Amino acid sequence: MTDTQNQPEINKGLDGVVADYTAISKVNPETNSLLYRGYPVQELAAKLPFEAVAYLLWNGEIPTDAQLADFTEQERSHRALDQHVKATLDALPVDCHPMDSVRTAVSLLGAQHPQAGDNSPSAELQKATTLFAQLPAVVAYEQRRRTAGGPTEPVAPRDDLDYAQNFLWMTFGEEADAAVVDAFRISMVLYAEHSFNASTFTARVITSTLSDLHSAVTGAIGALKGPLHGGANEAVMHTFDEIGIRPDESEEDAKARAKAWMERALAERKKVMGFGHRVYKHGDSRVPTMKKALDAMIEHFGRQEILGLYHGLEQAMDEAKAIKPNLDYPAGPTYHLMGFDTELFTPLFIAARITGWTAHIMEQRAANSLIRPLSAYNGPDERHL
Ligand code: COA
């Protein structure tokens, strides 16, 4: 075995390791705050369209009216579902996980991008903008394909709608109520960026080899799929389903059942998705804003029993382990109330996080150093055949 005298310090999971600088966002667990380019995320969620937040993450400043109009025009011109992507999605099993579908679509969009071999800053910004505009069509089509049980007609995008309105339009084929659009927009803003999380770091690792933007995003999607990361919003809904959603149940009864479920789960030492965070140990800065959006949806759809389940799990977890919910916890039931299939929740996270990932890809490329850590060998001592 290895020399026990000179053991290196190992930061399992890179816990606590500061890997590089970033000017894109600041996560401060001490003050429970999250800033995008210096602006508190709550302020951005309250006041800006998602398009303006994307622009801010990529360019460092809030767009002027003229800049936003120009950016919006570009975004709207790339919204339609690409015909090759549609054909490829149609060839996938209808019950495959939509994360696999979106990952496949991004890979295809990379291969056929007119600037595929160009990693210059202007080409990269162009690629980020087109992907940002194309992803809602992919996610919306996956929802529709699943509902139809196979290939179907996509809903054509509408130029008179903003990003959030158009996303819901292309998914459900009808104009969403203003309250639903607002909750959806808020979720996109909150999901957009979160420093060196696992998927963003994956994107930076891939970029650091001088690979291309679509490869980095494809890898990031793979990292996001796992339930310890983005897959948690889907897993939260599976928990709600396992407890049982009973639309006519009172809030109090739902709460009591959820508390009992959590007590059993923790007694069995289960990890309950939607709780805990590697960085925030006293609560996730994004949760209060997302919880308000969930409350608005519960009110809008008249579904108080969801609130009972939500508070029951939260309270029982707090009493037993003092572990707080993360963003995925309120986001999951919010998307459920809007009418998205549970398996579509993490693809929605992709549509939002594409902004943060691509901002990091551009930042990594601008001051690149190959990301290549060391490992401590603990296999057999040298031996011979
Ligand atoms: N449910 C139950 N227990 C949890 C928990 C959860 N969701 N999250 C953390 N814990 C417990 C662990 O079991 C561990 O307890 P122990 O010391 O008695 O073994 C302790 O808290 C530390 O957890 P650990 O997983 O080592 O912390 P981490 O910093 O590596 O984990 C997460 C961060 C996010 C991976 C973890 O909290 C988790 O798995 N959460 C669920 C998945 C999730 O919601 N992910 C989305 C993140 S935004």
Side-chain angles (χ1 to χ4, degrees), residues 108-125:
L108 174 58
L109 287 167
Q112 64 180 29
H113 196 282
Q115 289 156 294
D118 185 352
N119 295 335
S120 66
S122 66
E124 214 136 65
L125 192 55

Side-chain angles (χ1 to χ4, degrees), residues 126-194:
Q126 186 56 44
K127 289 178 187 176
T129 304
T130 47
L131 254 188
F132 171 67
Q134 288 163 326
L135 277 168
V138 174
V139 176
Y141 185 67
E142 270 305 274
Q143 168 77 63
R144 296 187 71 78
R145 193 173 73 95
R146 290 166 64 85
T147 307
T152 185
E153 273 311 299
V155 175
R158 291 232 328 244
D159 278 358
D160 58 324
L161 301 179
D162 73 11
Y163 173 96
Q165 291 168 323
N166 179 63
F167 201 139
L168 295 168
W169 162 256
M170 288 183 82
T171 306
F172 300 112
E174 55 188 47
E175 280 187 46
D177 291 336
V180 177
V181 173
D182 207 42
F184 186 72
R185 183 191 57 79
I186 289 168
S187 76
M188 291 285 116
V189 174
L190 296 175
Y191 264 134
E193 161 56 16
H194 213 224

